[in-house]
Coordinates of all heavy atoms in Angstrom, one line a residue:
A1404 N 124.4 97.4 64.0 CA 123.2 97.0 63.3 C 122.9 98.0 62.2 O 122.3 97.7 61.2 CB 122.0 96.8 64.3
A1405 N 123.2 99.3 62.5 CA 122.9 100.3 61.5 C 123.8 100.2 60.3 O 123.4 100.7 59.2 CB 123.0 101.7 62.1
L1406 N 124.9 99.6 60.4 CA 125.9 99.5 59.3 C 125.6 98.4 58.4 O 126.1 98.3 57.3 CB 127.3 99.4 59.9 CG 127.8 100.6 60.7 CD1 129.2 100.3 61.2 CD2 127.8 101.8 59.8
K1407 N 124.8 97.4 58.9 CA 124.6 96.2 58.0 C 123.5 96.5 57.0 O 122.5 97.2 57.3 CB 124.0 95.1 58.9 CG 125.0 94.4 59.8 CD 124.4 93.3 60.5 CE 125.5 92.6 61.4 NZ 124.9 91.5 62.1
P1408 N 123.7 96.1 55.7 CA 122.7 96.4 54.7 C 121.5 95.5 55.0 O 121.6 94.4 55.4 CB 123.4 96.0 53.4 CG 124.5 95.1 53.8 CD 124.9 95.5 55.2
K1409 N 120.3 96.1 54.6 CA 119.1 95.3 54.8 C 119.0 94.3 53.7 O 119.4 94.5 52.6 CB 117.9 96.3 54.8 CG 117.8 97.2 56.0 CD 116.6 97.9 55.9 CE 116.5 98.8 57.2 NZ 115.2 99.5 57.3
S1410 N 118.4 93.2 54.1 CA 118.1 92.1 53.1 C 117.1 92.5 52.1 O 116.1 93.1 52.5 CB 117.7 90.8 53.9 OG 117.3 89.9 52.9
T1411 N 117.3 92.2 50.9 CA 116.3 92.5 49.8 C 115.5 91.3 49.4 O 114.8 91.4 48.4 CB 117.1 93.1 48.6 OG1 118.0 92.2 48.1 CG2 117.7 94.5 49.0
R1412 N 115.7 90.2 50.1 CA 114.9 89.0 49.8 C 113.5 89.2 50.0 O 113.0 89.8 51.0 CB 115.4 87.8 50.6 CG 116.7 87.3 50.2 CD 117.1 86.1 51.0 NE 116.0 85.2 51.1 CZ 115.9 84.3 52.1 NH1 116.8 84.2 53.0 NH2 114.9 83.5 52.2
S1413 N 112.7 88.7 49.0 CA 111.2 88.8 49.1 C 110.7 87.8 50.1 O 111.2 86.7 50.2 CB 110.6 88.6 47.8 OG 109.2 88.5 47.9
T1414 N 109.7 88.2 50.9 CA 109.1 87.2 51.8 C 107.8 86.6 51.2 O 107.1 85.9 51.8 CB 108.6 87.9 53.1 OG1 107.7 89.0 52.8 CG2 109.8 88.5 53.8
A1415 N 107.6 86.8 49.9 CA 106.4 86.3 49.2 C 106.4 84.8 49.2 O 105.4 84.1 49.2 CB 106.3 86.8 47.8
H1416 N 107.6 84.1 49.2 CA 107.7 82.7 49.1 C 107.8 82.0 50.4 O 108.0 80.8 50.5 CB 108.8 82.3 48.1 CG 108.6 82.8 46.8 ND1 107.7 82.4 45.9 CD2 109.3 83.8 46.1 CE1 107.7 83.1 44.8 NE2 108.7 84.0 44.9
R1417 N 107.8 82.8 51.5 CA 108.0 82.2 52.8 C 106.6 81.7 53.3 O 105.6 82.3 53.1 CB 108.4 83.3 53.8 CG 108.8 82.8 55.1 CD 109.3 84.0 56.0 NE 108.4 85.1 55.9 CZ 108.3 86.0 56.8 NH1 109.1 86.0 57.8 NH2 107.5 87.0 56.7
A1418 N 106.6 80.5 54.0 CA 105.4 79.9 54.5 C 104.8 80.7 55.6 O 105.6 81.2 56.5 CB 105.6 78.5 54.9
A1419 N 103.5 80.9 55.7 CA 102.9 81.6 56.8 C 103.0 80.8 58.1 O 102.6 79.6 58.1 CB 101.5 81.9 56.4
Q1420 N 103.5 81.3 59.1 CA 103.6 80.6 60.4 C 103.0 81.5 61.5 O 103.7 82.2 62.2 CB 105.0 80.3 60.7 CG 105.7 79.4 59.8 CD 105.1 78.0 59.9 OE1 104.7 77.5 60.9 NE2 105.0 77.3 58.7
P1421 N 101.6 81.4 61.7 CA 101.0 82.3 62.7 C 101.4 81.7 64.1 O 101.8 80.6 64.3 CB 99.5 82.2 62.5 CG 99.4 80.9 61.7 CD 100.7 80.7 60.9
D1422 N 101.3 82.6 65.1 CA 101.6 82.2 66.5 C 100.5 81.2 66.9 O 99.3 81.5 66.7 CB 101.5 83.4 67.4 CG 102.6 84.4 67.1 OD1 103.7 84.0 66.6 OD2 102.4 85.6 67.4
L1423 N 100.9 80.1 67.4 CA 99.9 79.1 67.8 C 100.0 78.9 69.3 O 101.0 79.2 69.9 CB 100.2 77.8 67.1 CG 100.1 77.8 65.6 CD1 100.5 76.4 65.0 CD2 98.7 78.1 65.2
P1424 N 99.0 78.4 70.0 CA 97.7 78.0 69.5 C 96.7 79.1 69.4 O 96.7 80.0 70.3 CB 97.3 76.9 70.4 CG 97.9 77.4 71.7 CD 99.2 78.1 71.4
Y1425 N 95.9 79.1 68.4 CA 94.7 80.0 68.4 C 93.6 79.4 69.2 O 93.4 78.2 69.1 CB 94.3 80.2 66.9 CG 95.0 81.3 66.2 CD1 96.1 81.0 65.4 CD2 94.7 82.6 66.3 CE1 96.8 81.9 64.8 CE2 95.4 83.6 65.7 CZ 96.4 83.3 64.9 OH 97.1 84.2 64.3

Side-chain angles (χ1 to χ4, degrees):
L1406 298 176
K1407 289 184 180 180
K1409 291 187 177 183
S1410 173
T1411 58
R1412 286 184 43 205
S1413 171
T1414 58
H1416 300 290
R1417 185 176 54 157
Q1420 295 294 325
D1422 297 331
L1423 295 177
Y1425 276 94

